[in-house]
Amino acid sequence: MSSPAPVLSVESRTYPAPLIFPSTSTHTHTLIVLHGRGSNAANFSTSFLSARTSSNHTLQQLFPGLKFIFPTAKKRRAVRYNRSWINQWFDNYSLEDPAKRQELVYDGLRESAGFIHELMRLELEIVGARNVVLAGLSQGCAMGLHALLSFEGDGEQGSDSSAGPEGHDGSTRNGEATPLGGFIGMSGWLPLAHDISEEAWPAHVCEDEDFFANDEGPREVDTPEKRQIRAANVVRDIVDLTALSPESNKSPCFARTPVFLGHGMGDGKVNICLGERAYRILERLEIPVTWKTYDFGHWWKEPEEIDDIVSFLREKVGMQMMNEVCE
């Protein structure tokens, strides 16, 4: 049974109200799940909540403390489809070449990121940053990755007392924002992958102090933190956020967020090469990412991928299953 949607800002009300399924026991975690292009919360939630593990359990059954939020993307004109109005987080012209007509993605990424960030912050205030997980399928995965990489983590005021050395304002003791509990991506890709990869593997820096390897003179020494800040600034520019200082020694909060990416090897809609590229970029940024492939097409593979998601939620996010709650 769903519950009323949260109170959103005027700007976010241009999106349909999210569909919310409360936890069946004490609320400890929240999972925000983004649908794919052309879908909506009602249809997608029915499929996702009915997905079963090899033990024939749903995620709701296994994690009674988990609250599910299913937002719906607002309708946008799809240039590829004769400017038809469809539910999509952003418009994109081609998945064979995601950089083709890349200018089409910018407005949707910016607007949808603001909407998703607001949903995230509302849940952070309830359960704390480390107990909020973002997830998505297909374009929902792509949108979720962009929202993750551009999330500031400000204003986090949760009741998470077991998450570690965080203050009540949601920041860690060293002043860094608390990371989210995790991200789950299925059959997706990373928007702006080419731009981000250029910052992850720049030509003008080296990874050690062997300056004599460059006949043209010394180059800037690269570090994981510098790569993370450069990548963050690519996506922050799209959502109109101030660039992070390259002199900062603080890594963005996404750098400490565990990520699960799953993809079907026979995916005919989003080629597995796009999913693997996203994985390689996140790995290069030293984000704790898990990559799984399945003998399947475009969707999640039952029960194998659902089993892997359950393991991720238990081992990386720290969620308790129903039998563990009862003990």
Side-chain angles (χ1 to χ4, degrees):
M1 182 178 178
S2 61
S3 67
V7 178
L8 299 171
S9 66
V10 173
E11 182 176 348
S12 290
R13 286 179 209 157
T14 62
Y15 288 76
L19 192 57
I20 299 178
F21 294 84
S23 60
T24 57
S25 68
T26 301
H27 179 204
T28 62
H29 293 78
T30 296
L31 180 62
I32 302 172
V33 195
L34 309 181
H35 63 75
R37 189 181 198 183
S39 187
N40 57 56
N43 293 336
F44 184 64
S45 63
T46 300
S47 297
F48 188 77
L49 294 178
S50 64
R52 293 183 177 271
T53 65
S54 55
S55 64
N56 201 35
H57 290 96
T58 66
L59 293 179
Q60 278 184 306
Q61 292 170 337
L62 289 175
F63 299 108
L66 182 58
K67 171 184 177 181
F68 294 81
I69 299 180
F70 293 90
T72 293
K74 73 179 187 181
K75 290 187 181 296
R76 300 176 184 275
R77 289 195 182 276
V79 172
R80 185 66 182 267
Y81 302 110
N82 298 318
R83 293 181 52 79
S84 300
W85 288 95
I86 63 173
N87 292 110
Q88 54 178 354
W89 300 106
F90 56 91
D91 194 14
N92 61 279
Y93 191 76
S94 170
L95 287 179
E96 289 74 29
D97 179 10
K100 188 174 184 179
R101 299 201 62 179
Q102 184 170 281
E103 73 278 3
L104 294 175
V105 310
Y106 297 149
D107 287 346
L109 287 177
R110 180 177 61 255
E111 293 174 4
S112 294
F115 170 57
I116 295 164
H117 288 165
E118 185 169 358
L119 291 177
M120 292 161 63
R121 288 193 176 95
L122 288 171
E123 293 305 308
L124 298 182
E125 294 174 357
I126 300 171
V127 294
R130 292 188 187 273
N131 295 327
V132 176
V133 179
L134 184 61
L137 171 77
S138 193
Q139 194 190 69
C141 169
M143 185 65 241
L145 282 172
H146 185 81
L148 173 68
L149 295 180
S150 59
F151 186 58
E152 290 191 288
D154 293 346
E156 301 165 21
Q157 300 176 355
S159 58
D160 179 15
S161 60
S162 61
E166 293 88 17
H168 292 296
D169 62 350
S171 61
T172 57
R173 289 175 183 168
N174 62 4
E176 293 182 328
T178 307
L180 291 182
F183 177 85
I184 298 169
M186 301 163 283
S187 299
W189 73 96
L190 177 62
L192 314 176
H194 175 74
D195 298 339
I196 296 172
S197 65
E198 285 194 334
E199 300 301 336
W201 286 275
H204 65 282
V205 299
C206 60
E207 295 184 32
D208 55 40
E209 297 188 13
D210 184 12
F211 295 139
F212 299 102
N214 182 8
D215 294 337
E216 298 179 357
R219 294 179 294 171
E220 175 189 349
V221 177
D222 205 14
T223 65
E225 290 78 16
K226 289 180 179 179
R227 291 196 293 271
Q228 292 160 2
I229 289 172
R230 291 195 304 266
N233 285 339
V234 170
V235 295
R236 289 171 70 88
D237 180 61
I238 299 300
V239 296
D240 294 335
L241 291 175
T242 303
L244 301 176
S245 170
E247 305 303 320
S248 173
N249 292 321
K250 298 177 182 178
S251 60
C253 62
F254 67 70
R256 290 161 284 123
T257 300
V259 172
F260 172 90
L261 296 178
H263 214 112
M265 292 183 289
D267 194 330
K269 292 185 177 181
V270 181
N271 192 285
I272 191 173
C273 294
L274 296 177
E276 185 170 9
R277 187 182 192 190
Y279 160 64
R280 295 298 179 193
I281 292 173
L282 298 187
E283 184 183 49
R284 171 67 176 174
L285 295 175
E286 298 198 10
I287 296 172
V289 56
T290 300
W291 170 248
K292 295 281 188 177
T293 60
Y294 305 93
D295 184 15
F296 199 62
H298 184 72
W299 205 249
W300 54 77
K301 176 70 181 299
E302 288 187 44
E304 293 89 344
E305 191 166 3
I306 305 304
D307 284 344
D308 289 336
I309 289 172
V310 169
S311 297
F312 176 81
L313 291 173
R314 290 186 66 210
E315 298 167 10
K316 304 297 183 180
V317 183
M319 291 177 56
Q320 290 186 313
M321 292 173 60
M322 57 180 179
N323 56 333
E324 297 167 333
V325 173
C326 296
E327 290 178 356

